[in-house]
Each structure stands twice: as C-alpha cells, then as structure tokens.
Amino acid sequence: MENPYQAPQAELDTHSESSTPFFTTSTTKLIVLYIATLGLYRLYWFYKHWKALQVHEGLKVAPVWRSIFSIFFTHSLFKYIANSHQEQSLGTWSAHAMMATLYVLMTVGGEIAARIPASDVFGVWDIALLVTSVIPLYTLYEAQTYANRANQDPDGKSNSRFSPWNILFILMGLAIWGVVVLGVLAQYTAILD
C-alpha cells in the first residue's frame, strides 16, 4: 500500500547541467570577451570547461580551483578535449600538448613581464607583454575549436549570442581599455615634450 504522506519520488538527472563534455561557445565570442576583459575571461572559460567535464564525466574535480590554477591543469583539459575528439572519429588534435605548454609558458611569462618596470620608451618588455597576451588567446581558440567539434557544435552556435552579462563585461573592459590608451598617450606625450 502506498503511503499518502510520502513525498513523490522522481529519478534524478545527474547530467541536467551539461549534456556535452565541454563548454560550447563561438570562437568569436571567446576572442571578444578575452580581449575586452584583458584576458580575465580565461578564468570563466576554464571554469566552464571543468564544470561541464565534472557533470558529464562524473569527475571529482573542483572547477573553481582548476580555473584559478589553470596553468597546472591546462595539459589535462586539453588532453580530455583531444581524446574526446579522437574517440568520436573526428580526427586527432596532435598539437594539444604543445598548445597547453605554450599556454602555460606564455601565461607565466606574461606575469613575469608585467612585474618588470617599464621604460619610458616602447621596448622589448612591451612587445613581450603583447606576445604573452595574444598567444594564450590563440591556444584557447584552438582548444575551443576542438571542444566545439567534440560537442557536435563546430561553430559554437548554441552559445554565440552575447548575453546582458557579456555586454556588461565588454563595456567595463572598454572603459579599462580607454584608461590604458589614455595612459599610454599621456606617457608618450610627456616623452615628446
């Protein structure tokens, strides 16, 4: 006999948050948000990938910590993406280890270059900062391309629109970029005087 006071039972869907193994987003959105947020978008990017893997694969990981300390977990994330891509007979991503290493080296190099006092003239350290900012974006672009393919959404159309939150962060980023450009112009105007 059924207990009328018992709460209804339902099957729990453990994969409700992510039916795909990886975070899907368009590469255009990735590039715009990465540049607009001066690279801070990568924290969110790593978090979303690890969260999707945690849910899809049942991994016992802490996505927040893997995002904050991404340089220690980039190789394993890129390997997951490469393995999934290959398991689905989509081809191989043979450069995944090199891309992960490049990401780590450029991220660490960028942090070091940012702490070296700048000279009054645009020079080697300024170029190093620029390079160490662009190359990590390229590696994430490559990883996202393969992740989207593994998710059966090669163009990332399911997450290609900019949400209100995305637009807010883009606007804040543009304000910061404006301050940076004004600071550089002020510095060079002072040098020329």
PDB file of all heavy atoms in Angstrom, residues 12-31:
ATOM      1  N   LEU A  12      16.492  11.172 -10.530  1.00  0.00           N
ATOM      2  CA  LEU A  12      17.342  12.353 -10.590  1.00  0.00           C
ATOM      3  C   LEU A  12      18.161  12.322 -11.860  1.00  0.00           C
ATOM      4  O   LEU A  12      18.742  11.298 -12.211  1.00  0.00           O
ATOM      5  CB  LEU A  12      18.266  12.415  -9.373  1.00  0.00           C
ATOM      6  CG  LEU A  12      17.570  12.581  -8.031  1.00  0.00           C
ATOM      7  CD1 LEU A  12      18.601  12.551  -6.910  1.00  0.00           C
ATOM      8  CD2 LEU A  12      16.784  13.868  -7.997  1.00  0.00           C
ATOM      9  N   ASP A  13      18.198  13.449 -12.551  1.00  0.00           N
ATOM     10  CA  ASP A  13      19.009  13.561 -13.762  1.00  0.00           C
ATOM     11  C   ASP A  13      20.354  14.138 -13.360  1.00  0.00           C
ATOM     12  O   ASP A  13      20.472  15.327 -13.088  1.00  0.00           O
ATOM     13  CB  ASP A  13      18.312  14.464 -14.780  1.00  0.00           C
ATOM     14  CG  ASP A  13      19.094  14.593 -16.074  1.00  0.00           C
ATOM     15  OD1 ASP A  13      20.069  13.836 -16.267  1.00  0.00           O
ATOM     16  OD2 ASP A  13      18.718  15.455 -16.891  1.00  0.00           O
ATOM     17  N   THR A  14      21.363  13.297 -13.313  1.00  0.00           N
ATOM     18  CA  THR A  14      22.685  13.762 -12.890  1.00  0.00           C
ATOM     19  C   THR A  14      23.401  14.533 -13.986  1.00  0.00           C
ATOM     20  O   THR A  14      24.401  15.177 -13.750  1.00  0.00           O
ATOM     21  CB  THR A  14      23.574  12.570 -12.478  1.00  0.00           C
ATOM     22  OG1 THR A  14      23.675  11.668 -13.587  1.00  0.00           O
ATOM     23  CG2 THR A  14      22.998  11.868 -11.267  1.00  0.00           C
ATOM     24  N   HIS A  15      22.879  14.497 -15.203  1.00  0.00           N
ATOM     25  CA  HIS A  15      23.521  15.195 -16.317  1.00  0.00           C
ATOM     26  C   HIS A  15      22.688  16.390 -16.778  1.00  0.00           C
ATOM     27  O   HIS A  15      22.735  16.782 -17.917  1.00  0.00           O
ATOM     28  CB  HIS A  15      23.743  14.240 -17.494  1.00  0.00           C
ATOM     29  CG  HIS A  15      24.606  13.070 -17.141  1.00  0.00           C
ATOM     30  ND1 HIS A  15      25.926  13.208 -16.826  1.00  0.00           N
ATOM     31  CD2 HIS A  15      24.331  11.756 -17.045  1.00  0.00           C
ATOM     32  CE1 HIS A  15      26.436  12.012 -16.551  1.00  0.00           C
ATOM     33  NE2 HIS A  15      25.495  11.125 -16.666  1.00  0.00           N
ATOM     34  N   SER A  16      21.910  16.970 -15.900  1.00  0.00           N
ATOM     35  CA  SER A  16      20.996  18.031 -16.304  1.00  0.00           C
ATOM     36  C   SER A  16      21.710  19.308 -16.716  1.00  0.00           C
ATOM     37  O   SER A  16      21.237  20.027 -17.569  1.00  0.00           O
ATOM     38  CB  SER A  16      20.014  18.333 -15.181  1.00  0.00           C
ATOM     39  OG  SER A  16      20.714  18.762 -14.040  1.00  0.00           O
ATOM     40  N   GLU A  17      22.857  19.606 -16.106  1.00  0.00           N
ATOM     41  CA  GLU A  17      23.523  20.872 -16.420  1.00  0.00           C
ATOM     42  C   GLU A  17      24.255  20.820 -17.755  1.00  0.00           C
ATOM     43  O   GLU A  17      24.304  21.806 -18.470  1.00  0.00           O
ATOM     44  CB  GLU A  17      24.512  21.235 -15.313  1.00  0.00           C
ATOM     45  CG  GLU A  17      25.098  22.626 -15.505  1.00  0.00           C
ATOM     46  CD  GLU A  17      25.995  23.018 -14.359  1.00  0.00           C
ATOM     47  OE1 GLU A  17      25.773  22.598 -13.239  1.00  0.00           O
ATOM     48  OE2 GLU A  17      26.939  23.766 -14.623  1.00  0.00           O
ATOM     49  N   SER A  18      24.826  19.686 -18.083  1.00  0.00           N
ATOM     50  CA  SER A  18      25.623  19.620 -19.292  1.00  0.00           C
ATOM     51  C   SER A  18      25.468  18.271 -19.971  1.00  0.00           C
ATOM     52  O   SER A  18      25.838  17.255 -19.420  1.00  0.00           O
ATOM     53  CB  SER A  18      27.102  19.869 -18.957  1.00  0.00           C
ATOM     54  OG  SER A  18      27.885  19.737 -20.108  1.00  0.00           O
ATOM     55  N   SER A  19      24.895  18.285 -21.156  1.00  0.00           N
ATOM     56  CA  SER A  19      24.790  17.043 -21.910  1.00  0.00           C
ATOM     57  C   SER A  19      25.991  16.895 -22.838  1.00  0.00           C
ATOM     58  O   SER A  19      26.091  15.926 -23.561  1.00  0.00           O
ATOM     59  CB  SER A  19      23.486  17.026 -22.704  1.00  0.00           C
ATOM     60  OG  SER A  19      23.477  18.106 -23.619  1.00  0.00           O
ATOM     61  N   THR A  20      26.852  17.866 -22.830  1.00  0.00           N
ATOM     62  CA  THR A  20      28.072  17.800 -23.636  1.00  0.00           C
ATOM     63  C   THR A  20      29.280  17.761 -22.688  1.00  0.00           C
ATOM     64  O   THR A  20      29.224  18.287 -21.590  1.00  0.00           O
ATOM     65  CB  THR A  20      28.198  19.026 -24.563  1.00  0.00           C
ATOM     66  OG1 THR A  20      28.179  20.215 -23.772  1.00  0.00           O
ATOM     67  CG2 THR A  20      27.056  19.078 -25.574  1.00  0.00           C
ATOM     68  N   PRO A  21      30.358  17.142 -23.152  1.00  0.00           N
ATOM     69  CA  PRO A  21      31.509  17.023 -22.251  1.00  0.00           C
ATOM     70  C   PRO A  21      32.260  18.331 -22.012  1.00  0.00           C
ATOM     71  O   PRO A  21      32.996  18.450 -21.040  1.00  0.00           O
ATOM     72  CB  PRO A  21      32.396  16.001 -22.951  1.00  0.00           C
ATOM     73  CG  PRO A  21      31.985  16.026 -24.377  1.00  0.00           C
ATOM     74  CD  PRO A  21      30.535  16.422 -24.392  1.00  0.00           C
ATOM     75  N   PHE A  22      32.069  19.302 -22.897  1.00  0.00           N
ATOM     76  CA  PHE A  22      32.835  20.544 -22.785  1.00  0.00           C
ATOM     77  C   PHE A  22      31.927  21.758 -22.895  1.00  0.00           C
ATOM     78  O   PHE A  22      30.784  21.666 -23.322  1.00  0.00           O
ATOM     79  CB  PHE A  22      33.916  20.604 -23.876  1.00  0.00           C
ATOM     80  CG  PHE A  22      34.795  19.396 -23.896  1.00  0.00           C
ATOM     81  CD1 PHE A  22      34.663  18.437 -24.890  1.00  0.00           C
ATOM     82  CD2 PHE A  22      35.733  19.182 -22.896  1.00  0.00           C
ATOM     83  CE1 PHE A  22      35.463  17.297 -24.887  1.00  0.00           C
ATOM     84  CE2 PHE A  22      36.529  18.061 -22.880  1.00  0.00           C
ATOM     85  CZ  PHE A  22      36.387  17.104 -23.888  1.00  0.00           C
ATOM     86  N   PHE A  23      32.471  22.885 -22.517  1.00  0.00           N
ATOM     87  CA  PHE A  23      31.800  24.174 -22.647  1.00  0.00           C
ATOM     88  C   PHE A  23      31.762  24.536 -24.129  1.00  0.00           C
ATOM     89  O   PHE A  23      32.778  24.468 -24.818  1.00  0.00           O
ATOM     90  CB  PHE A  23      32.584  25.214 -21.845  1.00  0.00           C
ATOM     91  CG  PHE A  23      32.145  26.636 -22.012  1.00  0.00           C
ATOM     92  CD1 PHE A  23      30.834  27.013 -21.782  1.00  0.00           C
ATOM     93  CD2 PHE A  23      33.058  27.605 -22.369  1.00  0.00           C
ATOM     94  CE1 PHE A  23      30.442  28.336 -21.913  1.00  0.00           C
ATOM     95  CE2 PHE A  23      32.688  28.934 -22.492  1.00  0.00           C
ATOM     96  CZ  PHE A  23      31.374  29.300 -22.264  1.00  0.00           C
ATOM     97  N   THR A  24      30.599  24.896 -24.609  1.00  0.00           N
ATOM     98  CA  THR A  24      30.459  25.314 -26.005  1.00  0.00           C
ATOM     99  C   THR A  24      30.329  26.825 -26.055  1.00  0.00           C
ATOM    100  O   THR A  24      29.533  27.406 -25.319  1.00  0.00           O
ATOM    101  CB  THR A  24      29.196  24.682 -26.642  1.00  0.00           C
ATOM    102  OG1 THR A  24      29.297  23.276 -26.556  1.00  0.00           O
ATOM    103  CG2 THR A  24      29.050  25.097 -28.089  1.00  0.00           C
ATOM    104  N   THR A  25      31.102  27.443 -26.921  1.00  0.00           N
ATOM    105  CA  THR A  25      30.961  28.869 -27.199  1.00  0.00           C
ATOM    106  C   THR A  25      31.570  29.139 -28.561  1.00  0.00           C
ATOM    107  O   THR A  25      32.452  28.408 -29.013  1.00  0.00           O
ATOM    108  CB  THR A  25      31.633  29.744 -26.111  1.00  0.00           C
ATOM    109  OG1 THR A  25      31.240  31.102 -26.299  1.00  0.00           O
ATOM    110  CG2 THR A  25      33.140  29.647 -26.131  1.00  0.00           C
ATOM    111  N   SER A  26      31.090  30.162 -29.222  1.00  0.00           N
ATOM    112  CA  SER A  26      31.663  30.504 -30.522  1.00  0.00           C
ATOM    113  C   SER A  26      33.056  31.086 -30.310  1.00  0.00           C
ATOM    114  O   SER A  26      33.326  31.736 -29.290  1.00  0.00           O
ATOM    115  CB  SER A  26      30.779  31.497 -31.274  1.00  0.00           C
ATOM    116  OG  SER A  26      30.865  32.782 -30.706  1.00  0.00           O
ATOM    117  N   THR A  27      33.921  30.856 -31.270  1.00  0.00           N
ATOM    118  CA  THR A  27      35.280  31.380 -31.146  1.00  0.00           C
ATOM    119  C   THR A  27      35.281  32.911 -31.227  1.00  0.00           C
ATOM    120  O   THR A  27      36.131  33.548 -30.612  1.00  0.00           O
ATOM    121  CB  THR A  27      36.204  30.767 -32.214  1.00  0.00           C
ATOM    122  OG1 THR A  27      35.612  30.917 -33.507  1.00  0.00           O
ATOM    123  CG2 THR A  27      36.456  29.288 -31.939  1.00  0.00           C
ATOM    124  N   THR A  28      34.321  33.478 -31.933  1.00  0.00           N
ATOM    125  CA  THR A  28      34.211  34.947 -31.988  1.00  0.00           C
ATOM    126  C   THR A  28      33.908  35.500 -30.600  1.00  0.00           C
ATOM    127  O   THR A  28      34.530  36.473 -30.155  1.00  0.00           O
ATOM    128  CB  THR A  28      33.110  35.368 -32.973  1.00  0.00           C
ATOM    129  OG1 THR A  28      33.431  34.857 -34.268  1.00  0.00           O
ATOM    130  CG2 THR A  28      32.955  36.876 -33.031  1.00  0.00           C
ATOM    131  N   LYS A  29      32.977  34.866 -29.911  1.00  0.00           N
ATOM    132  CA  LYS A  29      32.628  35.304 -28.560  1.00  0.00           C
ATOM    133  C   LYS A  29      33.826  35.152 -27.622  1.00  0.00           C
ATOM    134  O   LYS A  29      34.091  36.031 -26.798  1.00  0.00           O
ATOM    135  CB  LYS A  29      31.436  34.483 -28.063  1.00  0.00           C
ATOM    136  CG  LYS A  29      30.836  34.948 -26.775  1.00  0.00           C
ATOM    137  CD  LYS A  29      29.564  34.154 -26.470  1.00  0.00           C
ATOM    138  CE  LYS A  29      28.958  34.579 -25.166  1.00  0.00           C
ATOM    139  NZ  LYS A  29      27.719  33.821 -24.877  1.00  0.00           N
ATOM    140  N   LEU A  30      34.543  34.061 -27.758  1.00  0.00           N
ATOM    141  CA  LEU A  30      35.751  33.833 -26.958  1.00  0.00           C
ATOM    142  C   LEU A  30      36.755  34.964 -27.162  1.00  0.00           C
ATOM    143  O   LEU A  30      37.259  35.543 -26.201  1.00  0.00           O
ATOM    144  CB  LEU A  30      36.388  32.485 -27.330  1.00  0.00           C
ATOM    145  CG  LEU A  30      37.810  32.226 -26.838  1.00  0.00           C
ATOM    146  CD1 LEU A  30      37.858  32.089 -25.333  1.00  0.00           C
ATOM    147  CD2 LEU A  30      38.375  30.982 -27.496  1.00  0.00           C
ATOM    148  N   ILE A  31      37.025  35.302 -28.412  1.00  0.00           N
ATOM    149  CA  ILE A  31      38.016  36.339 -28.725  1.00  0.00           C
ATOM    150  C   ILE A  31      37.575  37.698 -28.178  1.00  0.00           C
ATOM    151  O   ILE A  31      38.349  38.399 -27.530  1.00  0.00           O
ATOM    152  CB  ILE A  31      38.265  36.406 -30.248  1.00  0.00           C
ATOM    153  CG1 ILE A  31      38.974  35.138 -30.718  1.00  0.00           C
ATOM    154  CG2 ILE A  31      39.060  37.650 -30.627  1.00  0.00           C
ATOM    155  CD1 ILE A  31      38.985  34.950 -32.228  1.00  0.00           C
TER     156      ILE A  31
END
